[in-house]
Amino acid sequence: MAVPVIDGNDFERMLKAGLISLRNHEGEINDMNVFPVSDGDTGTNMRLTLQNGIMSAESNENLGEYLRGVKKGMLLGARGNSGVILSQFFAGISNCLEEKSVIGASDFHEALVEAYRNAYGSVINPVEGTMLTVARLGAERSGKIVPSCKDSVDRFLSDYISEMKSVLNETSELLPVLKESGVKDSGGAGYICIFSGMLKGLLGKDSDFENESLGPASVNAPAPIDADGFTKDSRFVEGYCTEFILQLMNGNSYDADFDMPKFIEKLKSMGESIVAFKIDDRIKVHIHAMKPYRILELAQRYGEFVTIKIENMQVQKNARELRMKKCSRKGMGVLAVVNGDGLKKLYGSFRCDAILDGGRSMEISPDTFTDAFSRIDADCIIVIPNGPELMEAARQAKENSVGRNISILECENPVSGYYALVNGQMESDDFSRRFGLMQEGAESVDVISIESESVGRCGMFSASLNGKPVSKSSDMKSAVSEAVNEIPALNSKCSCMMVCGKNASEEMTVLIESAMSEIIPDLEINVIDGGQENNDYMIGF
């Protein structure tokens, strides 16, 4: 059923549902936070700001009266860049509706337009691709539907949310830092989250919020500080997030000639990400600066601080990066050495963390291995060297990588390495168990390697079994047959994998398949284009 008008009680219920919605997605929004500083607190700051507004306001059927309380609570309790801007959105809504006891869709749209105008006005250098853009374009685009939903606030609100979601998808194109990080604007996402919850609250679709606690009375209690990532060797480039409410004062100790535009101009020379506005005879300021004491000295010429907060944003950023690194760190990483595009693609399908180009007679230095180890963020690393020549370089690199848990498979060719990967696919944190399974996989396969060479005008084909020469002939089929017959427990083999190298030909492939089928009639042969340079064919049984 359509909702034609809403009053103060309706709006209170909507805001509480919006707060619960924001709280449920707070972590996701924090993780998206990369602008203006990737300190991972956008969701938390927005939640605490809205929470303070709700808890400061007394229930009132009169919408304008209720919103005045919300406005005051949000302005006084606003936290962080995102929280201060959010408070300005709701201040704009309150200013527009202060004389209204109930509103319809048209009034709501008018208030949302005033909301973004007020927010833009409080931000000294507005940046597009942020929460500001999401709210502005959402309000502008949803305006077209207002005449058709005169008796349906919920229909208008639904369209407003839909338009904002569309704009949110555009933010990464408007703000390069978002595109580089592969995220959308966190503030915009949080703003949409609030209004999505408000719509559910209006329609009564999310009744759980009615009995849910809105949080502790001290909503501005600071979160525990994780300073482990900030040391004497850290670079300090982010500065301090400085926020305060200044009470302008009378008396000889203070400069009575306070001018807001001039004050803002002085702030511009001291920092960035500035949000500043005047509430009666109080000044609210948010600024990012390297030297916050200069800002405090400036402000204290005119009055005294009601509240003040200074946070080291480098500590916050480093803590977030350390936290995300710990979350993304794998239990086990795999480094493999293979040659040939086909084999690299095959190994890549097993999500190897690093693949080095190399193989028999292709040297790889210990430093190359060491560098690859440093780029793998995992507790343990398994190395698949795929060649006896590379085992020693891998071992030296392991010795050089002090503090890393690295194990090297006894694996002499890419086919054995493939079987190791297949056998070690189990999902387990038991590193020893997985390494053992992979070693069993590598040892379970018998591998025939075939190479062709020119001797005078004749072509010769040589075959090796598990690295040992077993046959040589001018007839490809004979060389292969002799090698196959040398395989231990030949009667138990029912399938094989044939990896074709760079110099393989369709004619030779057919001959090899024919030779193997004559010896093992029901043999299942899986042919793969490996593209390797060292062996024309590698066949694993």
Side-chain angles (χ1 to χ4, degrees):
M1 186 177 77
V3 181
V5 294
I6 57 175
D7 61 16
N9 291 333
D10 295 322
F11 207 87
E12 180 181 16
R13 188 173 69 254
M14 291 164 66
L15 275 187
K16 288 179 178 179
L19 175 60
I20 301 304
S21 175
L22 181 60
R23 191 166 72 187
N24 288 340
H25 297 279
E26 183 177 328
E28 300 167 33
I29 295 165
N30 285 342
D31 288 343
M32 296 169 66
N33 177 202
V34 297
F35 180 85
V37 178
S38 58
D39 46 7
D41 61 1
T42 291
T44 300
N45 287 337
M46 294 180 75
R47 189 258 302 171
L48 289 171
T49 301
L50 179 58
Q51 186 171 319
N52 202 80
I54 293 172
M55 296 183 73
S56 299
E58 294 184 5
S59 299
N60 196 315
E61 186 177 3
N62 184 295
L63 179 62
E65 291 292 331
Y66 175 69
L67 284 174
R68 271 193 281 275
V70 172
K71 168 187 171 180
K72 182 177 180 181
M74 289 184 71
L75 290 174
L76 292 176
R79 285 176 57 98
N81 189 60
S82 54
V84 174
I85 294 175
L86 180 66
S87 73
Q88 286 301 289
F89 280 117
F90 279 91
I93 292 174
S94 177
N95 293 341
C96 184
L97 302 177
E98 60 184 358
E99 301 301 328
K100 304 274 187 180
S101 58
V102 297
I103 61 167
S106 179
D107 298 317
F108 205 169
H109 175 254
E110 185 180 341
L112 292 171
V113 171
E114 181 60 28
Y116 81 70
R117 287 176 177 169
N118 191 65
Y120 266 89
S122 67
V123 179
I124 306 308
N125 293 303
V127 176
E128 296 300 340
T130 64
M131 176 174 23
L132 295 168
T133 310
V134 171
R136 175 175 63 82
L137 292 181
E140 290 176 356
R141 294 177 184 179
S142 63
K144 63 182 183 299
I145 199 175
V146 172
S148 65
C149 55
K150 182 167 55 175
D151 297 322
S152 181
V153 176
D154 53 301
R155 184 184 169 200
F156 161 70
L157 186 53
S158 177
D159 189 72
Y160 176 59
I161 294 166
S162 178
E163 294 291 358
M164 287 199 295
K165 287 181 178 178
S166 177
V167 179
L168 182 65
N169 289 328
E170 301 169 15
T171 55
S172 58
E173 297 299 322
L174 295 171
L175 199 53
V177 67
L178 300 179
K179 190 169 186 177
E180 291 169 10
S181 302
V183 296
K184 301 165 188 173
D185 179 63
S186 56
Y191 190 72
I192 292 171
C193 195
I194 293 170
F195 278 88
S196 295
M198 288 173 66
L199 178 59
K200 289 181 180 180
L202 175 62
L203 297 175
K205 290 184 178 180
D206 194 0
S207 59
D208 290 344
F209 70 86
E210 293 186 8
N211 298 317
E212 191 164 348
S213 170
L214 297 182
S218 181
V219 296
N220 282 321
I225 297 174
D226 181 2
D228 289 348
F230 188 69
T231 70
K232 63 181 181 180
D233 296 316
S234 297
R235 294 177 64 243
F236 185 72
V237 296
E238 299 297 345
Y240 297 91
C241 176
T242 303
E243 294 177 4
F244 58 81
I245 296 175
L246 181 74
Q247 173 65 62
L248 299 177
M249 305 290 290
N250 295 324
N252 295 332
S253 300
Y254 307 100
D255 187 343
D257 187 24
F258 179 82
D259 182 273
M260 192 66 184
K262 291 181 180 179
F263 182 68
I264 289 174
E265 283 302 314
K266 291 178 181 177
L267 290 179
K268 287 181 181 179
S269 66
M270 299 179 181
E272 54 189 22
S273 295
I274 303 169
V275 185
F277 48 89
K278 192 169 183 286
I279 319 164
D280 299 326
D281 56 0
R282 289 181 175 177
I283 311 301
K284 174 76 176 185
V285 171
H286 168 279
I287 185 170
H288 292 175
M290 298 299 290
K291 304 292 183 183
Y293 73 88
R294 297 172 54 205
I295 297 156
L296 302 183
E297 287 178 348
L298 170 66
Q300 214 166 10
R301 295 179 194 172
Y302 305 99
E304 298 298 339
F305 301 106
V306 177
T307 62
I308 186 169
K309 177 178 73 69
I310 301 176
E311 293 179 332
N312 183 324
M313 293 187 294
Q314 195 68 57
V315 169
Q316 295 174 324
K317 182 178 180 180
N318 290 7
R320 177 177 184 265
E321 290 176 349
L322 190 62
R323 184 173 65 252
M324 295 186 73
K325 184 176 181 180
K326 288 179 180 177
C327 291
S328 63
R329 189 176 180 88
K330 299 174 63 176
M332 188 186 89
V334 176
L335 180 150
V337 182
V338 288
N339 173 249
D341 291 341
L343 279 171
K344 290 176 183 177
K345 184 176 180 181
L346 179 64
Y347 272 64
S349 68
F350 287 90
R351 298 181 180 177
C352 291
D353 299 86
I355 296 176
L356 300 179
D357 187 18
R360 187 170 61 84
S361 76
M362 300 177 71
E363 184 178 344
I364 295 180
S365 70
D367 287 345
T368 302
F369 276 106
T370 303
D371 181 62
F373 295 157
S374 69
R375 289 184 277 107
I376 298 177
D377 189 17
D379 296 326
C380 309
I381 299 175
I382 291 178
V383 184
I384 307 178
N386 288 331
E389 302 91 342
L390 301 172
M391 289 288 292
E392 184 56 35
R395 289 192 184 102
Q396 289 183 33
K398 175 183 175 179
E399 293 176 4
N400 295 337
S401 302
V402 180
R404 301 299 300 271
N405 187 352
I406 299 170
S407 296
I408 303 170
L409 280 174
E410 298 290 335
C411 189
E412 297 193 350
N413 58 71
V415 176
S416 297
Y418 167 78
Y419 279 84
L421 288 169
V422 171
N423 214 48
Q425 286 190 93
M426 63 174 287
E427 289 294 331
S428 173
D429 293 330
D430 189 339
F431 174 74
S432 297
R433 172 65 173 151
R434 291 187 69 181
F435 180 78
L437 287 172
M438 292 179 74
Q439 190 64 64
E440 287 176 14
E443 294 171 356
S444 69
V445 60
D446 293 297
V447 181
I448 293 176
S449 300
I450 301 172
E451 295 182 37
S452 61
E453 56 180 299
S454 297
V455 179
R457 296 184 179 181
C458 300
M460 295 295 292
F461 304 95
S462 58
S464 299
L465 176 62
N466 299 328
K468 296 179 180 180
V470 291
S471 64
K472 192 169 187 177
S473 173
S474 60
D475 179 60
M476 164 71 84
K477 194 170 183 180
S478 297
V480 173
S481 298
E482 188 174 342
V484 171
N485 281 310
E486 291 290 325
I487 295 175
L490 181 60
N491 293 334
S492 65
K493 306 295 185 180
C494 59
S495 66
C496 74
M497 180 178 80
M498 181 162 65
V499 182
C500 303
K502 183 178 180 181
N503 297 320
S505 68
E506 186 176 347
E507 180 183 359
M508 284 194 293
T509 302
V510 171
L511 280 173
I512 294 173
E513 288 181 296
S514 174
M516 293 190 299
S517 296
E518 287 180 8
I519 299 171
I520 313 174
D522 296 325
L523 184 68
E524 179 184 341
I525 304 172
N526 300 305
V527 180
I528 295 173
D529 181 9
Q532 71 275 10
E533 296 182 10
N534 297 310
N535 301 102
D536 296 336
Y537 294 90
M538 290 183 290
I539 309 165
F541 290 86

